[in-house]
C-alpha cells in the first residue's frame, strides 16, 4: 500500500456469521447460507470507519473514496470508476431529489455491490463465479467478472429483457435462461452454487454486496454536506438497496456523523408485494406468495431471502413499505422521460409512490431535503413499459 493512500481494510479477521444462529463461516469457504440452519449470512469482524466530510475532498470521485468504510481495498484493475452519481431536483416536487444511479458503468445501482464481490473473488482467487438475477444484478456481476478475468455464469428468468441478455453475453458470461418464475431461476443458481470451487456472487445472499450498496447513502450524505434527507425512498424486491442504505445510516449514526436516521420508505410493485403485505399486517417475516405480473420486473421478488431483515430495518427507522400499481408506474415512467430522465419501469416505482402521495415527506426540520429517491436502472436495456 502506498503511504498516502487512505486506510484499506484487510480480509483478516472477517467472517460470515449466520443472522439466525450466529454460526461463523470463513470467507474462503464460499458459503452463501448457514451450513447449520440455512439462515442468511452477515459480515462479522469488520469495523467500518467512515471519514468525515472534511477529509473526503480531493479523493477520486468514485465509491472508493469511502475506503475504510468498505470491507475490501480498491481493486485498481477491476474498478470502472463506479459511484458518485449526481443528485438532481425532481420535476415539480420541491424538496425531493433524485439520485442518478442509472449512470453507473453497467446502467444500474447494482455496480455498487458487484465491484465489492469481484474484489473479494479476486482476493480469494476463485476459479469461477455464478450469479442469478432478474437482469441488472447479473449484468453488473458479469461486467466486473469480465474485468477481473474470472469465468462467470448468470442465471436469468426466461422472460428477461432481450437487451439485458445481450449485455450479459457481450460481457462474455454464460447465460442460463431458466423457464418459469424468478424463484425457479434462483433455485437453479443455488443448485449450481453447490459445485466445489464455485463462488455464488449473490447480490441477495452475500453481505459484501450490501456493504457496496451502502455507498448510495454515504454519497447522499456527503453530497448534502454531511446531512441526510428526512426520508429515503427506495425500491424493494430483494431489498439490497434498502439493507445497504440502512447499514450506512446505522454506521453514520454510530460514528456520530448524523444526529438521526432518516425514515426508509420502501416501494414494491402491487403485483408482487410480500414485504408491503407483511408490513401492513405487522408480521416479522413475509409470507410466501405466488408472484403476480408487473412491469416493474426488477422488484418482482415473491420470496425475498432477507425479508425479515428488511422489515426490521424499515420499522427501526419509523418508515413504511408501500405498493404501486402498474398504471402508476407507467405514468411515473412517462413523466420522468418527459423531464429528460429515461429509466427502466422498475426505476419509476419510487417516483410513482411519491407522486401518488403514498409517502409522508413532511414537515422537514431545518433545511434538509424532504426525500431522495434513486433512478436506479437505465431505460436503454429494458422493455418499454407498454408491453
Ligand atoms: Zn444458522
Amino acid at each position: 500500500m502506498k503511504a498516502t493512500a487512505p486506510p484499506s481494510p484487510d480480509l483478516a479477521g472477517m467472517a460470515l456469521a449466520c443472522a439466525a444462529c450466529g454460526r461463523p463461516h470463513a470467507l474462503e469457504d464460499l458459503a452463501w447460507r448457514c451450513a447449520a440452519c440455512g439462515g442468511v449470512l452477515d459480515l462479522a469482524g469488520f469495523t467500518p470507519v467512515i471519514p468525515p466530510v472534511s477529509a473526503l475532498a480531493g479523493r477520486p470521485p468514485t465509491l472508493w473514496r469511502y475506503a475504510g468504510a468498505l470491507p475490501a481495498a480498491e481493486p485498481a484493475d477491476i474498478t470502472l470508476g463506479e459511484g458518485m452519481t449526481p443528485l438532481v431536483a425532481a420535476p415539480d416536487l420541491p424538496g425531493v431529489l433524485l439520485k442518478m444511479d442509472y449512470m453507473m458503468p453497467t446502467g444500474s445501482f447494482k455496480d455498487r455491490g458487484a465491484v465489492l464481490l469481484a474484489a473479494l473473488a479476486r482476493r480469494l482467487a476463485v476459479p469461477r463465479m455464478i450469479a442469478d438475477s432478474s437482469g441488472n444484478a447479473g449484468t453488473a456481476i458479469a461486467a466486473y467478472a469480465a474485468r477481473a478475468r474470472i469465468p462467470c455464469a448468470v442465471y436469468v428468468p426466461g422472460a428477461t429483457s432481450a437487451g439485458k441478455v445481450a449485455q450479459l453475453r457481450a460481457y462474455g458470461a454464460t447465460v442460463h435462461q431458466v423457464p418459469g418464475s424468478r424463484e425457479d431461476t434462483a433455485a437453479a443458481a443455488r443448485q449450481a452454487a453447490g459445485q466445489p470451487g464455485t463462488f455464488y456472487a449473490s447480490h441477495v445472499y452475500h453481505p459484501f454486496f450490501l456493504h457496496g450498496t451502502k455507498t448510495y447513502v454515504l454519497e447522499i450524505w456527503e453530497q448534502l454536506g454531511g446531512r441526510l434527507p428526512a426520508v429515503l425512498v427506495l425500491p424493494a424486491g430483494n431489498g439490497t438497496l434498502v439493507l445497504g442504505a440502512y447499514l450506512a445510516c446505522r454506521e453514520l449514526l454510530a460514528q456520530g456523523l448524523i444526529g438521526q436516521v432518516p425514515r426508509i420508505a420502501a416501494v414494491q410493485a402491487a403485483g408482487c408485494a410480500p414485504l408491503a403485505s407483511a408490513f401492513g399486517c405487522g408480521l416479522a417475516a413475509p409470507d410466501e406468495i405466488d408472484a403476480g405480473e408487473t412491469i416493474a420486473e426488477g422488484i418482482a421478488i415473491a420470496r425475498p431471502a432477507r425479508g425479515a431483515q428488511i422489515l426490521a430495518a424499515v420499522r427501526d427507522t419509523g418508515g413504511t413499505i408501500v405498493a404501486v400499481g402498474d398504471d402508476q408506474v407507467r405514468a411515473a415512467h412517462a413523466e420522468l422521460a418527459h423531464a429528460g430522465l429515461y429509466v427502466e419501469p422498475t426505476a419509476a416505482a419510487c417516483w410513482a409512490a411519491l407522486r401518488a402521495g403514498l409517502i409522508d415527506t413532511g414537515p422537514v426540520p431545518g433545511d434538509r431535503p424532504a426525500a431522495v429517491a434513486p433512478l436506479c436502472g437505465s431505460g436503454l436495456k429494458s422493455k418499454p413499459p407498454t408491453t
Side-chain angles (χ1 to χ4, degrees), residues 77 128 160 206 282 330:
D77 55 345
R128 61 186 166 276
T160 297
H206 206 293
R330 279 191 196 91

Side-chain angles (χ1 to χ4, degrees), residues 254-269:
Q255 294 183 39
L257 295 170
I258 56 173
Q260 68 182 100
V261 169
R263 300 192 305 279
I264 290 178
V267 181
Q268 297 216 279

Side-chain angles (χ1 to χ4, degrees), residues 86-384:
L87 272 178
V88 302
D92 303 326
L93 266 186
V96 177
L97 298 172
L98 301 173
K99 189 155 170 67
M100 309 275 278
D101 262 30
Y102 73 97
M103 293 174 61
M104 296 290 264
T106 75
S108 87
F109 81 92
K110 297 282 179 34
D111 293 354
R112 297 183 182 278
V115 72
L116 265 294
L117 289 179
L120 177 62
R122 167 68 68 75
R123 272 294 295 276
L124 297 177
V126 302
R128 61 186 166 276
M129 301 166 67
I130 68 164
D132 66 299
S133 167
S134 58
N136 283 329
T139 52
I141 296 290
Y144 285 96
R147 189 82 172 160
R149 299 186 182 282
I150 299 171
C152 181
V154 182
Y155 293 73
V156 300
T160 297
S161 309
K164 289 177 180 172
V165 174
Q167 188 179 7
L168 287 169
R169 293 203 168 112
Y171 289 134
T174 301
V175 181
H176 298 280
Q177 289 185 271
V178 182
S181 69
R182 175 69 181 81
E183 178 54 31
D184 293 327
T185 298
R190 290 196 293 264
Q191 189 167 21
Q195 300 301 312
T198 299
F199 177 42
Y200 185 16
S202 171
H203 62 294
V204 180
Y205 288 102
H206 206 293
F208 264 54
F209 196 93
L210 306 180
H211 281 267
T213 58
K214 79 182 181 187
T215 60
Y216 171 81
V217 163
L218 297 183
E219 290 175 16
I220 293 171
W221 165 75
E222 183 186 356
Q223 288 168 318
L224 295 177
R227 298 174 304 166
L228 287 174
V231 183
L232 290 166
V233 187
L234 299 164
N238 276 310
T240 56
L241 195 50
V242 169
L243 291 173
Y246 179 68
L247 201 53
C249 290
R250 299 304 312 183
E251 290 176 3
L252 286 164
L253 186 70
Q255 294 183 39
L257 295 170
I258 56 173
Q260 68 182 100
V261 169
R263 300 192 305 279
I264 290 178
V267 181
Q268 297 216 279
C272 187
L275 296 167
S277 174
F279 185 85
C281 296
L283 301 179
D287 286 329
E288 289 195 0
I289 66 164
D290 293 325
E293 290 292 312
T294 172
I295 59 169
E297 61 179 9
I299 50 174
I301 306 298
R303 297 170 198 174
R306 293 186 183 270
Q309 289 183 324
I310 298 164
L311 288 162
V314 170
R315 287 183 176 125
D316 186 51
T317 70
T320 188
I321 305 180
V322 301
V324 290
D326 277 6
D327 286 347
Q328 291 171 307
V329 174
R330 279 191 196 91
H333 182 272
E335 186 180 28
L336 288 171
H338 292 158
L341 302 161
Y342 191 56
V343 298
E344 65 177 325
T346 303
C350 289
W351 183 242
L354 281 162
R355 274 315 219 181
L358 298 177
I359 295 166
D360 176 14
T361 56
V364 182
D367 57 353
R368 289 194 297 160
V372 175
L375 299 178
C376 50
S378 169
L380 294 177
K381 56 183 178 178
S382 67
K383 289 178 285 193

Side-chain angles (χ1 to χ4, degrees), residues 18-23 25 34-41:
C18 176
C21 75
R23 175 173 168 155
H25 299 66
C34 178
C37 76
V40 293
L41 302 175

